[in-house]
Amino acid sequence: MSELQVNVPRSHRRYFINGLFDSKSNAIVTMSSLVILLWLGTPLVRWASGAAIWSGTASNCGVVGAGACWAFIASKFRFIIFGFYPPALQWRPTLAIVGICLLLSLSANPRYWSSKLLLSWPIAILLLWFLMAGILVPPVVPTNQWGGLPITLLVSVIGLVTAFPIALLLAFARRSSMGILRTLAVVFIECLRGVPLIAVLYVAMLILPMALPSEALLDKLLRAQIGITLFVSAYLAEVIRAGLQSLPPGQMEAAYSLGLGYWRTNQLVVLPQAMRAVIPAIVNLAIGILLNTSLLAVIGISDLLNTGKMATADPAWLGFYTEAFVFTGAIYFTISFVASRYSLWLERRLAAGQNH
């Protein structure tokens, strides 16, 4: 046993090295790549750390030879994260971020998967929304003052969570033997998937207000949220349908032979296997939703990327676009990277449970 534990890491290292230097052409490509990385990486590291300015004002960052101006990020950190939300009340969006992260952490562990957790999501989302709006604790803060990271997280998480039950119904409807129901599902899915998200947002902002009476007009952020939810549900429905179609028909036939009805068969037999098969696609779609929240800027909603851009418009800190985009990009990358690694972990966890 001890010999195996020692040899496994060595075999991995040997496999890695052989993959890079197993032939002359691979060795040339590997060495060339290392040279290019060093050539590009050395000045980048110097700009980001060695010559960077960590404190002070814009004048300190303007000296000859100065690198990244992280003093700009330190000065504009709260604005980039929270946007125009009143500074004295920024504990609310902070709690919203913590609450979303806590919900995601609990939902990420299969140990806590239950009907109670499923029910806690809409309740928690409503509470966080009311907290941000000031309904739970006055004063009221209108949604046009919301911005930054809370908007990015809320819109993407609410979009995926509320789209999931709609997508389930659409996926089953598209596979239904009822012609009218199947046709309606196909029309809805293909119409939403056939237009870009920005067009859906423009419809929510420009067309919908003209179609509704002024007293029934919804808030701008809520209209955008509904549009994103419907858009995501169309894509998620196709992902779920692909998982359903990947299962052999013998699964349902065996369940029917045991006396299970249609809905119980799908709940206990079909859906668990189908969802396991499409975990990477769902995570990929979730990352896409997160990144596409940057399109909210075109309808006047300040997401994280837009608040980073607006921070550079301060007359005292003009021109530090690179630092702003690097900082916001690092946040997007961190969230996306954690989601992708979680997807791999969950696949292995569920596969191990299935094998046992």
Side-chain angles (χ1 to χ4, degrees), residues 25-263:
S25 58
N26 277 359
I28 292 173
V29 171
T30 300
M31 296 306 297
S32 301
S33 300
L34 289 175
V35 170
I36 293 174
L37 286 175
L38 288 174
W39 178 59
L40 295 175
T42 301
L44 181 61
V45 171
R46 181 184 177 278
W47 173 84
S49 60
I53 306 299
W54 299 92
S55 61
T57 62
S59 59
N60 299 114
C61 298
V63 299
V64 178
C69 185
W70 302 126
F72 162 74
I73 300 298
S75 175
K76 291 296 179 180
F77 177 81
R78 295 180 64 165
F79 179 81
I80 295 174
I81 298 298
F82 301 117
F84 293 103
Y85 207 91
L89 301 174
Q90 286 178 357
W91 58 270
R92 294 181 186 173
T94 301
L95 283 181
I97 294 173
V98 173
I100 291 174
C101 293
L102 181 60
L103 276 174
L104 291 174
S105 300
L106 292 176
S107 303
N109 194 335
R111 182 189 309 172
Y112 301 110
W113 290 356
S114 64
S115 57
K116 293 181 180 179
L117 179 62
L118 192 63
L119 183 62
S120 67
W121 265 100
I123 296 175
I125 291 298
L126 283 175
L127 289 177
L128 293 177
W129 189 282
F130 291 159
L131 176 66
M132 290 278 292
I135 297 175
L136 293 179
V137 181
V140 173
V141 178
T143 56
N144 59 8
Q145 294 185 24
W146 299 14
L149 185 58
I151 282 288
T152 297
L153 292 178
L154 278 172
V155 170
S156 55
V157 169
I158 294 175
L160 185 63
V161 171
T162 54
F164 195 82
I166 302 174
L168 274 178
L169 295 177
L170 288 172
F172 282 118
R174 187 158 187 174
R175 287 168 49 87
S176 173
S177 58
M178 300 173 61
I180 296 179
L181 187 61
R182 185 174 62 253
T183 301
L184 291 175
V186 170
V187 170
F188 178 88
I189 292 172
E190 296 304 326
C191 285
L192 266 296
R193 293 176 71 232
V195 296
L197 177 57
I198 192 171
V200 176
L201 294 176
Y202 275 129
V203 169
M205 292 301 107
L206 303 177
I207 307 300
L208 191 59
M210 293 187 292
L212 295 176
S214 57
E215 61 272 10
L217 189 60
L218 298 175
D219 179 80
K220 178 173 67 174
L221 180 58
L222 188 57
R223 277 179 281 153
Q225 184 69 75
I226 293 173
I228 290 176
T229 298
L230 296 177
F231 183 83
V232 172
S233 66
Y235 281 87
L236 188 57
E238 287 297 278
V239 171
I240 296 174
R241 186 174 69 91
L244 295 174
Q245 292 186 172
S246 67
L247 299 181
Q251 297 278 342
M252 295 192 69
E253 293 172 1
Y256 289 152
S257 67
L258 294 175
L260 295 178
Y262 175 80
W263 292 110

Side-chain angles (χ1 to χ4, degrees), residues 274-324:
M275 298 308 295
R276 184 186 298 115
V278 296
I279 286 173
I282 292 177
V283 173
N284 183 62
L285 180 61
I287 294 174
I289 299 168
L290 175 75
L291 300 180
N292 282 331
T293 54
S294 59
L295 294 175
L296 293 171
V298 301
I299 57 174
I301 298 177
S302 302
D303 67 302
L304 176 63
L305 185 64
N306 196 40
T307 53
K309 181 180 178 181
M310 288 190 296
T312 61
D314 187 344
W317 296 95
L318 290 176
F320 296 103
Y321 293 99
T322 303
E323 289 82 355

